[in-house]
Amino acid sequence: MSNQERPVPRRPRVRAPELTGKGGWLNTGGQPYTLADLRGRIVILDFWTFCCINCLHVLDELRELEEKHRDTVVVVGVHSPKFVHEAEHQAVVDAVERYGVEHPVLDDPELATWKQYAVRAWPTLVVIDPEGYVVAQHAGEGHVHAIERLVGELEAEHSAKGTLRRGDGPYVAPTVLRFPGKALSLPSGNFLVSDTTRHQLVELAGDGESVVRRVGSGERGFTDGTGDTAAFSEPQGLALLDDGSVVVADTVNHALRRLDLATGEVTTLAGTGRQWWQGSPTSGPAREVDLSSPWDVAWWQGRIWIAMAGVHQLWAYDPQDGTVAVTAGTTNEGLVDGPGAEAWFAQPSGLTATPERLWLADSETSALRWVEPDGSVHTAVGTGLFDFGHRDGAAEQALLQHPLGVTALPDGSVAVSDTYNHALRRYDPATGEVTTLATDLREAGDAVLAGDDIVVVESARHRLTRLRLPEEAVKVPEAAHRTQREATEVAPGQLRLDVIFQAPAGQKLDTRYGPSTRLLVSSTPPELLRGGEGAGTDLSRALELDPAVPEGVLHVSAMAASCDDDPDNEYPACHVHQQDWGVPVRLTEAGTDRLPLVLAGMDA
């Protein structure tokens, strides 16, 4: 059978809406693009926002696919902000450079394209064929294997039809900048800084400017060795051990590394280089257990505690027996206090320890939280995933915006690097008050003490900034925000929840060991759900909404496992597909009685 006679696969197609964004295009040399300009190419839209750890995972998953299919595939990042700061154009410019995004990005601060494509979760990938039709949608991470298979099918199909256009894409490389992440005060008086975008650690003199040495080759990789040959991948957090060595949160390598300050030698303490997925071990020998985007580390109670941003948990590494284990968090994303095993976090990204408490910056809930020695989790500032802003005063009503760092101060209070407010804030446990110490700190990601000063990592200004700790707070205008994401109008009473999952071509649901799907549903406030909450294995469920609760958020977590459908293969390759949604809803009589959430495939 010739190529012209080969049967064309039948798949649902929907005409793709146009790409619009008030912020314009990045990485295209100033050239705007329409879908008509991209006709003939396979287009993958990546709806992302730069605070979202799952979105950063997808950026890394896409790199190999982009390189392998560079002449047929164009990846377009549609930046769809959650926080107010993420709607600032310069912040998007900075993020594109910081995370090494090497494809065109549409800055959509008003979520215009998000709405046109009916996207409900960060991240979401949409595949558009060379004729301009949507042929697949995937929410969450871990879908690249399915998309690559689809790309191969589309290449064959449209090559045969004569509708595939090969050639260079519209990407134009920007100037590379460094974007430091975290800092550490060394006993020598120098500073060690994670130079995140350059995949290095940099030791600076006490002036915070003069380079003493660099550690790492500067190339993205996962290699132990000398200071010149070792390789990191977007390192972040740093912690000093009693023996004078430094533990490094090697974020994109999903690993903990050890730097010997005396020799410059780098070794691996924990992690395999692979990302943790549901069903992976949650404890064991540290070099044999997968981790997921460790963002910060701190020494507390004889262990290195890890802000495991990628799975919304805290873990700990025990240097005595060389093991790692989960210490708090369920992997569900949200803000729930209580015993460690029941607590919910949302991208914990900053840690600092005092003898009495482990403080943490929980970035996606814009919260300051702490852990007691008994393992219980408490919240000082913050209310949930969708409330943020800049408001001082009593902690119960104070607001932060996506903080990434926290620093213990000598008087028992803590300084918060309030990243998206470009500020340094202070919480005093004795009074329960939140104040502002300094403003105009461009994306402050961390801070360390230096005598009577505090040195702030201004990530988006690519520098350390030294400040005198003021006795009185700076007065700033108050601001309170909710996410720009529009609430979905739903009818009170019965609501049908359908999570759509279609196994990729050549795969089927893995039912060898029981149900291969899982659905977990809860709400904020809890009173919103009169029925349908809890865990189950069916991806469809009847929910009962209380008409007395006018609005809230439905928290939905879905998982499905699929394996290669080949009866002759005794050991088929299997893949886990997982996504968490936080769906703001508003109850109205004219609202819908069905809520579809696409995990993979198309909603018929």
Side-chain angles (χ1 to χ4, degrees):
M1 185 180 291
S2 70
N3 283 344
Q4 296 297 326
E5 297 169 333
R6 182 178 298 144
V8 176
R10 296 181 63 85
R11 60 174 64 87
R13 302 199 308 171
V14 176
R15 176 63 71 180
E18 191 52 80
L19 305 178
T20 58
K22 188 175 180 180
W25 289 82
L26 304 175
N27 282 354
T28 64
Q31 175 70 34
Y33 280 85
T34 66
L35 282 176
D37 298 324
L38 301 174
R39 193 66 51 82
R41 310 298 290 273
I42 300 165
V43 178
I44 301 174
L45 303 183
D46 176 16
F47 289 87
W48 69 299
T49 188
F50 63 79
C51 72
C52 164
I53 192 67
N54 310 91
C55 300
L56 303 187
H57 291 168
V58 168
L59 285 177
D60 290 313
E61 290 176 356
L62 287 172
R63 294 184 200 279
E64 186 175 347
L65 184 147
E66 290 182 84
E67 184 59 35
K68 185 176 179 180
H69 300 273
R70 190 167 290 278
D71 66 332
T72 59
V73 171
V74 174
V75 176
V76 175
V78 183
H79 189 269
S80 312
K82 171 185 175 181
F83 291 99
V84 169
H85 169 58
E86 291 169 330
E88 297 176 13
H89 181 71
Q90 185 58 46
V92 182
V93 173
D94 292 343
V96 166
E97 297 180 8
R98 173 187 286 113
Y99 296 117
V101 180
E102 296 185 356
H103 52 244
V105 172
L106 175 64
D107 181 13
D108 183 18
E110 297 177 346
L111 302 180
T113 299
W114 166 289
K115 296 170 187 174
Q116 287 295 312
Y117 281 81
V119 175
R120 295 186 183 276
W122 296 276
T124 291
L125 297 173
V126 174
V127 182
I128 302 173
D129 72 12
E131 294 179 293
Y133 288 89
V134 174
V135 293
Q137 181 172 328
H138 300 268
E141 51 185 301
H143 298 291
V144 170
H145 70 282
I147 292 175
E148 181 157 16
R149 183 164 190 150
L150 175 58
V151 165
E153 294 174 359
L154 291 172
E155 286 177 338
E157 173 186 341
H158 290 274
S159 179
K161 291 173 67 176
T163 51
L164 183 69
R165 176 167 57 89
R166 296 179 181 270
D168 292 334
Y171 169 68
V172 177
T175 302
V176 176
L177 300 176
R178 62 186 184 114
F179 293 97
K182 303 286 186 181
L184 180 67
S185 291
L186 298 177
S188 64
N190 291 349
F191 300 100
L192 188 67
V193 183
S194 53
D195 202 12
T196 304
T197 303
R198 289 183 178 162
H199 317 296
Q200 290 179 319
L201 308 179
V202 181
E203 184 175 349
L204 300 177
D207 60 9
E209 299 178 0
S210 305
V211 176
V212 176
R213 61 170 167 170
R214 289 183 172 269
V215 178
S217 65
E219 297 294 326
R220 185 190 298 270
F222 188 19
T223 307
D224 290 343
T226 65
D228 294 331
T229 62
F232 301 94
S233 187
E234 299 183 28
Q236 287 281 350
L238 307 166
L240 187 67
L241 298 183
D242 291 339
D243 64 4
S245 63
V246 174
V247 177
V248 182
D250 195 5
T251 303
V252 177
N253 278 329
H254 312 295
L256 297 188
R257 315 291 292 281
R258 177 185 182 273
L259 168 64
D260 187 318
L261 287 172
T263 66
E265 192 78 14
V266 176
T267 54
T268 299
L269 292 177
T272 63
R274 298 184 300 270
Q275 185 183 341
W276 187 95
W277 286 97
Q278 288 288 349
S280 301
T282 55
S283 64
R287 293 292 303 274
E288 300 174 14
V289 176
D290 300 338
L291 309 181
S292 183
S293 298
W295 206 274
D296 204 2
V297 283
W299 177 255
W300 191 54
Q301 294 187 323
R303 293 181 292 174
I304 287 288
W305 286 63
I306 309 163
M308 202 72 76
V311 286
H312 318 299
Q313 289 180 313
L314 299 180
W315 289 44
Y317 167 75
D318 189 336
Q320 295 299 316
D321 57 14
T323 60
V324 291
V326 175
T327 54
T330 64
T331 76
N332 293 312
E333 185 178 16
L335 194 153
V336 176
D337 290 339
E342 301 172 11
W344 290 23
F345 300 97
Q347 281 181 222
S349 301
L351 297 174
T352 191
T354 67
E356 300 81 16
R357 291 178 176 180
L358 178 72
W359 292 94
L360 65 117
D362 207 24
S363 61
E364 277 294 284
T365 52
S366 298
L368 172 65
R369 307 177 73 184
W370 81 86
V371 180
E372 292 281 348
D374 65 4
S376 60
V377 178
H378 307 264
T379 298
V381 181
T383 59
L385 286 165
F386 298 102
D387 293 290
F388 53 89
H390 192 149
R391 180 190 289 155
D392 286 334
E396 294 78 11
Q397 56 84 54
L399 294 172
L400 309 169
Q401 186 178 176
H402 198 75
L404 292 179
V406 59
T407 308
L409 300 179
D411 64 354
S413 65
V414 290
V416 180
S417 296
D418 194 5
T419 311
Y420 286 3
N421 279 329
H422 312 300
L424 190 67
R425 313 286 292 283
R426 175 178 176 265
Y427 169 68
D428 187 349
T431 64
E433 291 288 311
V434 175
T435 54
T436 298
L437 296 177
T439 58
D440 191 30
L441 298 168
R442 192 71 187 172
E443 290 194 17
D446 196 21
V448 294
L449 295 175
D452 293 331
D453 296 339
I454 189 165
V455 177
V456 181
V457 180
E458 282 196 88
S459 186
R461 284 199 177 113
H462 324 294
R463 72 186 188 192
L464 300 187
T465 299
R466 183 182 292 264
L467 304 171
R468 177 69 60 171
L469 277 172
E471 294 183 4
E472 293 188 6
V474 176
K475 298 296 183 184
V476 298
E478 293 186 353
H481 309 287
R482 285 186 64 83
T483 179
Q484 292 188 38
R485 218 174 131 190
E486 290 185 355
T488 299
E489 293 192 347
V490 297
Q494 290 288 329
L495 176 68
R496 184 71 182 177
L497 172 64
D498 289 325
V499 174
I500 290 90
F501 176 76
Q502 297 156 4
Q507 294 184 16
K508 64 179 181 179
L509 287 173
D510 178 19
T511 57
R512 291 171 298 167
Y513 307 108
S516 61
T517 56
R518 187 191 70 171
L519 180 65
L520 178 67
V521 180
S522 63
S523 67
T524 302
E527 296 77 21
L528 175 63
L529 275 177
R530 298 171 90 176
E533 72 277 5
T537 58
D538 192 338
L539 291 183
S540 293
R541 186 178 300 179
L543 306 181
E544 178 76 19
L545 305 183
D546 189 342
V549 181
E551 61 180 6
V553 178
L554 291 175
H555 303 286
V556 181
S557 177
M559 184 272 287
S562 62
C563 293
D564 290 345
D565 187 9
D566 182 356
D568 297 327
N569 184 358
E570 185 177 358
Y571 303 105
C574 297
H575 305 274
V576 175
H577 313 257
Q578 182 179 2
Q579 175 61 18
D580 295 335
W581 290 270
V583 183
V585 295
R586 182 181 302 111
L587 274 60
T588 172
E589 292 296 336
T592 181
D593 62 358
R594 177 177 178 263
L595 178 62
L597 300 175
V598 178
L599 179 60
M602 297 279 284
D603 179 20

